[in-house]
Amino acid sequence: MGMAAECIADLETGLALRRRLSEAHPTNVLLMHEYRLSCINAANAYSDLLELAIAENHLKEAVRIGEYLLSVEPDIPHWRRELVRTCNRMVRVLIDEGRYDEAEEYATRSKRLAQVLLESQEFIPGDLDYMAGAHHSMATIHAVRKEWERAFEEQEAARLLQVRLLEIEPDNYLVARSLGGSLDRLGQYASMLESPQAALAYYLDAFEVRQELARLNPEPSARQVSILASINKFTIWHISRKTEADDEAAGFWIRETEHLLGEFCRSRKAETKWKDYQSLEHALNVNRRIVEKRIASRLLAKRETSASSEQPE
């Protein structure tokens, strides 16, 4: 039996045990909570294995339990927060299954639940992140439907909440990382809305956020990977412009990527992020070939023009 199969077997065993306990003691809030956590853990494991139908069933059960816990203890904000998280997780699975209408129902429910948290006396700064997650879920649904304007509006709402939370908790790395993702997506949506300069501004803002994260904590390889991925985004942006000045700018970022990838490899961090490293190296080579081919083509055209102008009439 493989390692993945063993983990799934252990999860299912624990899940079955907690299901029986919760059925035997249906009013025991703690047991129901533990059963709900087991459902979420199982859903995450099956989702990683792309067994989305099974993951969905476990998440549905987690939502059902979450709603029950909220109904019996409506004054406990924790149950509402956990239900928001579970609904957002369900949205991602349903999107992966291509079931966008159902995903929108869960995203709408998530936003409604999160709004209650923001307006309650038990509000904590972290509730801003729950609402940001709900807006991000809705933005993702609009994006897969190619409803770019609505996707942009929802993602911008998420960004504003993340900025507000960072003003309260400036050292919250997880929120800063999410902010970088929001800025990248806003850049993508701006591009689809034919606002290329706005797109580049968002990509550059995301790059600055990731640089600050790396400065504060330079060790995690994930941050270096995200910086390189960020650079790749606006390298591609410049390449897509197809002008000589943009190709020169792309060339600058290609050289910067070469330098950072070299450092990344020499630090041996690439071993822990090998697939990401290979992907970034592949993108670098593709981008370099495109720019070098264009530069060579322009040089050839200039030489031919010069030679033609020098020939006697």
Side-chain angles (χ1 to χ4, degrees), residues 259-283:
H259 171 69
L260 291 174
L261 269 179
E263 281 190 353
F264 189 47
C265 193
R266 285 190 296 274
S267 70
R268 303 183 67 83
K269 290 175 185 175
E271 294 176 4
T272 61
K273 287 282 181 181
W274 184 243
K275 288 185 179 179
D276 292 322
Y277 176 82
Q278 286 183 309
S279 176
L280 290 164
E281 187 176 44
H282 173 72

Side-chain angles (χ1 to χ4, degrees), residues 9 61 70 88-89 96 115 176 207-208 240 254 296 309-310:
E61 183 70 347
L70 186 59
N88 286 340
R89 186 73 187 88
D96 288 342
Q115 187 62 42
F207 177 59
E208 289 180 7
S240 70
I254 286 169
S309 65
E310 290 174 1

Side-chain angles (χ1 to χ4, degrees), residues 113-125:
L113 289 163
Q115 187 62 42
V116 174
L117 288 170
L118 296 185
E119 296 171 355
S120 72
Q121 292 182 344
E122 290 79 18
F123 166 80
I124 59 174

Side-chain angles (χ1 to χ4, degrees), residues 6 19 34 42-43 46 51 61 82 90 93 110 117 122 154 157 177 185 195-196 207 209 225 244 263 266 298 300:
E6 288 181 6
R19 183 188 299 116
E34 290 178 348
Y46 280 110
E51 297 281 357
E61 183 70 347
E82 290 301 306
M90 177 68 91
V93 169
S110 178
L117 288 170
E122 290 79 18
E154 292 285 352
R177 186 177 66 185
R185 284 182 282 273
S195 298
F207 177 59
V209 167
V225 168
E244 186 171 356
E263 281 190 353
R266 285 190 296 274
R298 287 194 187 99
L300 179 61

